[in-house]
Amino acid sequence: MTTTLNTTKETKIDTEERIKIREIEMVDVIVMVGSALSAFALSYFFFQILLPVSGALGFLVCWYVFFNIISTVAVWELRGAIKAKDHLARVFIWTGGLAAVVPLILVLVYVIGKGYHSLRPQFFTQDQKFVGALSESTEGGGAHAIVGTLEQVGIASLISVPLGITTAVYLNEVKGRLTKPLRMIIDAMSAVPSIVAGLFIYAAWILALGNQQSGIAGSLALAVLFLPTVTRTSEVVLRLVPGGLREASLALGGTEWRTTSRVVLPTAKSGLVTAVILGVARVIGETAPLILTVGGAFVMNANPFSGKQDALPYFVFRLIRFPQEAQVARAWTGALVLVILVLVLFVIARAIGGRGPDHISRLKKRRLKRKGLA
Amino acid sequence: MTSIDITSTDTTRMSSDISLLDPGHQAAGLTANNVACWFGTKKVLEGVNLDMAPGQVTALIGPSGCGKSTFLRTLNRMHELVPSATLAGEILIDGVDIYRGAIPVTDVRRRIGMVFQKPNPFPAMTVAENVLAGLKLSGLKTTRSERDELIESCLSKAGLWNEVKNRLGDPGRALSGGQQQRLCIARSLAVSPQVLLMDEPCSALDPTSTRRIEQTISEISETITVVIVTHNMQQAQRVSHRCAFFLAAENEPGRIVEEGPTKDIFTNPRDSRTNDYVNGRFG
Ligand SMILES: Nc1ncnc2c1ncn2[C@@H]1O[C@H](COP(=O)(O)OP(=O)(O)OP(=O)(O)O)[C@@H](O)[C@H]1O
Ligand SMILES: [Mg+2]
């Protein structure tokens, strides 16, 4: 690959033959393929013919177990006990990795397959005002739900991110007397079921204080879930900043506040962005806390402070239960848009957060140029 | 002996008695009187008396674990950063007690700079920003020409200017280990300290970088008092005017066994243990 690219530019091509570490030998391939085939045959025999049960899942499990036994024995014969254990561990880790990734990909593929039919530009510009029971699924859109979700999650992060990072700084940099109780409260908060967060805001903000259902009520409920995630992740990230940097800053005559704001936080910046991403990911798909707080709506209400609002997950939750196929199709499109939204937010966050402290972003380079420092 | 309550004297108000960037600042003398240190209940240092005269290089030598670093860190109030750490005695800079006196702790640390054993440039800052970090951390405003001048003069003093003058915008950690250490020295020099404490500054460096740093120490010692911990006997002889030999007997706190002009310590020590140590017979 590289050589063909290089020849066109007439650069010097390295002629030394590089040592191939981890080369897979033919024998190994034969052992694997052979084990897989004989395990298939064996499990077919046992599962389909001898046992009175059948089914794809049972067959797969049977095949997997036979494959492990046969291939391990084969490797043992060929290369000894250590290699056999190594082989078995490798198979387990590979299956574990696959088992984690496969459902994820399946979900994505499924959502895309179900949702892309009615994904039209107007999904991002129209609400459900003129959508009747017999409308096509491509009519109307989810703009009101997208706006609702963005506003609710946006306000929730405006509340939780500064508060969470400040708390993390307190827990890790100040280490005051309240560290222990505070950490306990944060731990307890992260265990709060999301419906309880919704109920809490419903009882405290809407029933007790007499407010109406609105976007802000939803934001408050989401903030309850957002805060502990940001705090705990930020705390871990701040703990990873080497103590030597703090000492160096203090030894230069820095105050604790300047040490934190000029040295610790900038060093941890990309990790803190990850903390925020995890927080957003935690709340953006939440439905339960929103049902009681935002109320749901079919028309655009861009004002989060008054009137009911919709949110994408809530939109999906409502429409998917309709008998009309068109509504169900819209719900799937809503789910797909939610996935896309999360993806876009993550890409933006990564672009802002940069790639770790040693990397100096283009934006910062320009600022330094202006100050004559680069 | 009463131990010092660190928190009660921990004032952080800014004093204006020293001007940063003031080229006419003077090296200051440090005096330690009867200093003792504890980590929790464990006493690691006892009865340390040492005069570090202005404009001189003092080397602290001794076997591992005898309390050299601990002593060095009491000299600019870094010792108290360890939660369990306490101390007793007094440390004077030009006759003023740094623990009980009126100098705020941030000013103490700015006047008495420190270079650590491991190079620790700030990773989120460029080479140039690292040099200016001390000013930023003290909240000092500077003009562009002042900054340019400071960057060049500090990096030149640290013997690094020629290597990095075209790389001022690179991240601090993109430099080699030796370059990073010299960057840290430049960073310390930028706040015009009167004293510079160095804890084994060359232990991770190659001979060439080591020589460069030794050269730097000789050059700056005219205007800055230097206290250096080193395990390298040749280095102690090359750079220091005076030398203090620390020793801790087993399960005993460390003490200064002998202190005096470097030449005497190495050629004509009064104590037989000093003789053994400087000739490599133990430690
Ligand atoms: N943070 C700490 N907590 C508890 N004990 C400590 C701590 N730091 C150092 N000590 C103890 O204090 C004693 C002196 O340590 P110090 O680091 O001053 O030795 P040193 O002379 O600098 O040794 P070296 O030459 O190996 O750097 C040692 O016995 C050490 O175990
Ligand atoms: Mg030490």
Side-chain angles (χ1 to χ4, degrees):
Chain A
M1 281 285 279
T2 44
T3 48
T4 51
L5 278 176
N6 284 342
T7 41
T8 53
K9 285 188 199 163
E10 284 194 71
T11 43
K12 188 173 158 281
I13 302 163
D14 295 333
T15 49
E16 302 93 327
E17 192 183 335
R18 302 188 195 186
I19 298 170
K20 293 197 185 86
I21 305 156
R22 295 200 182 199
E23 194 172 17
I24 300 168
E25 283 179 39
M26 205 55 203
V27 198
D28 297 311
V29 179
I30 292 171
V31 167
M32 289 304 121
V33 173
S35 310
L37 286 178
S38 48
F40 184 87
L42 251 178
S43 45
Y44 186 82
F45 176 71
F46 272 105
F47 200 77
Q48 302 294 92
I49 298 172
L50 280 190
L51 292 176
V53 290
S54 64
L57 188 66
F59 183 79
L60 272 181
V61 172
C62 214
W63 187 11
Y64 181 66
V65 171
F66 278 127
F67 172 77
N68 279 342
I69 296 170
I70 294 170
S71 60
T72 305
V73 170
V75 175
W76 196 313
E77 280 298 311
L78 273 171
R79 300 178 187 266
I82 293 178
K83 283 277 176 193
K85 280 179 201 158
D86 192 39
H87 159 80
L88 200 60
R90 186 172 301 153
V91 172
F92 281 142
I93 286 166
W94 269 90
T95 8
L98 279 180
V101 170
V102 164
L104 206 73
I105 291 172
L106 283 182
V107 167
L108 261 182
V109 168
Y110 197 70
V111 171
I112 292 172
K114 285 275 202 181
Y116 91 99
H117 300 293
S118 37
L119 186 64
R120 296 280 185 283
Q122 70 260 28
F123 193 88
F124 298 93
T125 56
Q126 295 180 3
D127 57 18
Q128 301 271 299
K129 198 185 276 174
F130 304 112
V131 174
L134 300 174
S135 306
E136 288 284 323
S137 69
T138 48
E139 284 175 43
H144 60 302
I146 297 174
V147 168
T149 285
L150 287 179
E151 285 182 351
Q152 288 146 26
V153 172
I155 294 173
S157 27
L158 282 184
I159 298 170
S160 304
V161 171
L163 208 59
I165 292 180
T166 313
T167 314
V169 166
Y170 181 83
L171 291 177
N172 205 55
E173 306 295 316
V174 182
K175 297 203 176 83
R177 209 168 303 160
L178 293 175
T179 303
K180 257 194 188 148
L182 201 59
R183 192 170 285 140
M184 216 170 76
I185 292 171
I186 297 289
D187 275 342
M189 261 179 96
S190 59
V192 167
S194 55
I195 185 77
V196 176
L199 274 172
F200 168 66
I201 296 301
Y202 182 69
W205 175 260
I206 294 173
L207 293 186
L209 292 177
N211 293 295
Q212 296 295 310
Q213 288 183 323
S214 66
I216 188 83
S219 302
L220 291 175
L222 293 183
V224 173
L225 302 168
F226 203 141
L227 186 64
T229 316
V230 182
T231 309
R232 292 317 301 266
T233 323
S234 305
E235 198 201 338
V236 171
V237 166
L238 292 183
R239 208 179 299 151
L240 290 179
V241 175
L245 296 181
R246 292 185 187 91
E247 289 207 332
S249 168
L250 293 172
L252 285 167
T255 56
E256 295 197 353
W257 162 241
R258 286 220 169 84
T259 299
T260 301
S261 63
R262 303 292 171 103
V263 174
V264 177
L265 292 180
T267 305
K269 188 172 142 206
S270 73
L272 292 174
V273 170
T274 307
V276 174
I277 290 178
L278 284 176
V280 170
R282 168 84 174 81
V283 300
I284 200 167
E286 281 292 350
T287 319
L290 296 180
I291 295 173
L292 292 166
T293 49
V294 300
F298 283 95
V299 292
M300 177 69 86
N301 170 19
N303 182 359
F305 300 102
S306 112
K308 295 182 177 184
Q309 264 196 335
D310 212 0
L312 269 177
Y314 194 14
F315 172 89
V316 174
F317 173 70
R318 264 182 294 119
L319 298 193
I320 202 86
R321 291 172 304 161
F322 273 82
Q324 292 93 339
E325 263 174 44
Q327 294 287 47
V328 173
R330 270 187 213 108
W332 280 108
T333 310
L336 178 58
V337 170
L338 189 58
V339 171
I340 295 172
L341 199 63
V342 171
L343 203 73
V344 170
L345 288 179
F346 285 7
V347 170
I348 293 174
R350 270 282 145 255
I352 297 171
R355 284 182 267 149
D358 283 328
H359 180 253
I360 289 171
S361 68
R362 227 176 301 154
L363 214 76
K364 184 171 176 194
K365 275 204 186 111
R366 218 174 299 150
R367 186 166 56 77
L368 289 173
K369 274 245 165 61
R370 235 182 301 122
K371 285 208 257 170
L373 286 181
Chain B
M1 201 187 296
T2 54
S3 66
I4 299 169
D5 182 5
I6 289 160
T7 45
S8 71
T9 56
D10 195 347
T11 47
T12 39
R13 97 193 139 72
M14 300 288 285
S15 86
S16 48
D17 58 350
I18 55 155
S19 137
L20 298 167
L21 300 172
D22 171 18
H25 76 282
Q26 292 284 311
L30 275 184
T31 310
N33 285 333
N34 208 15
V35 170
C37 296
W38 292 263
F39 286 106
T41 53
K42 189 178 159 216
K43 196 176 194 181
V44 299
L45 214 53
E46 185 176 73
V48 177
N49 293 298
L50 191 63
D51 230 344
M52 291 147 275
Q56 299 240 301
V57 179
T58 307
L60 311 181
I61 59 172
S64 182
C66 65
K68 306 178 298 293
S69 300
T70 308
F71 176 65
L72 199 70
R73 288 165 61 89
T74 60
L75 297 179
N76 72 338
R77 302 195 59 171
M78 297 299 283
H79 179 61
E80 67 206 55
L81 295 178
V82 177
S84 66
T86 46
L87 75 156
E90 55 180 11
I91 312 267
L92 312 175
I93 177 166
D94 280 346
V96 183
D97 192 324
I98 62 169
Y99 285 95
R100 300 177 187 87
I103 318 173
V105 58
T106 48
D107 281 7
V108 167
R109 293 186 185 138
R110 200 160 51 212
R111 288 170 68 174
I112 309 173
M114 189 162 205
V115 175
F116 298 82
Q117 179 173 3
K118 234 176 85 193
N120 52 5
F122 299 126
M125 298 185 190
T126 63
V127 171
E129 282 181 298
N130 260 291
V131 177
L132 300 175
L135 305 186
K136 203 167 138 188
L137 288 163
S138 320
L140 230 101
K141 294 271 177 295
T142 44
T143 65
R144 181 168 172 167
S145 62
E146 277 175 323
R147 283 200 300 264
D148 288 347
E149 205 176 301
L150 201 62
I151 292 171
E152 180 166 353
S153 73
C154 290
L155 286 172
S156 305
K157 273 191 224 159
L160 189 61
W161 175 249
N162 285 329
E163 285 159 74
V164 300
K165 61 183 173 204
N166 297 321
R167 303 177 59 187
L168 294 177
D170 282 6
R173 283 211 300 220
L175 303 180
S176 80
Q179 292 171 330
Q180 287 184 27
Q181 189 66 306
R182 281 179 277 149
L183 177 61
C184 291
I185 293 176
R187 180 175 72 182
S188 304
L189 295 177
V191 290
S192 308
Q194 296 176 291
V195 181
L196 191 61
L197 312 175
M198 304 174 109
D199 194 350
E200 301 177 43
C202 304
S203 64
L205 304 186
D206 69 305
T208 319
S209 301
T210 303
R211 288 312 294 233
R212 268 234 183 82
I213 288 177
E214 287 174 7
Q215 217 175 340
T216 304
I217 294 171
S218 309
E219 283 163 20
I220 61 174
S221 69
E222 287 163 24
T223 47
I224 302 175
T225 309
V226 176
V227 185
I228 179 172
V229 173
T230 177
H231 282 140
N232 183 331
M233 293 304 117
Q234 283 76 39
Q235 182 171 62
Q237 294 183 67
R238 282 194 297 261
V239 300
S240 71
H241 302 109
R242 293 183 77 83
C243 213
F245 173 54
F246 283 70
L247 191 63
E250 211 173 317
N251 291 322
E252 294 259 332
R255 302 176 140 275
I256 292 187
V257 169
E258 184 169 354
E259 180 267 323
T262 303
K263 218 156 98 238
D264 293 353
I265 296 279
F266 281 92
T267 54
N268 188 20
R270 274 172 280 128
D271 197 295
S272 64
R273 289 170 295 177
T274 316
N275 195 24
D276 287 348
Y277 184 74
V278 298
N279 290 308
R281 277 196 279 277
F282 78 86

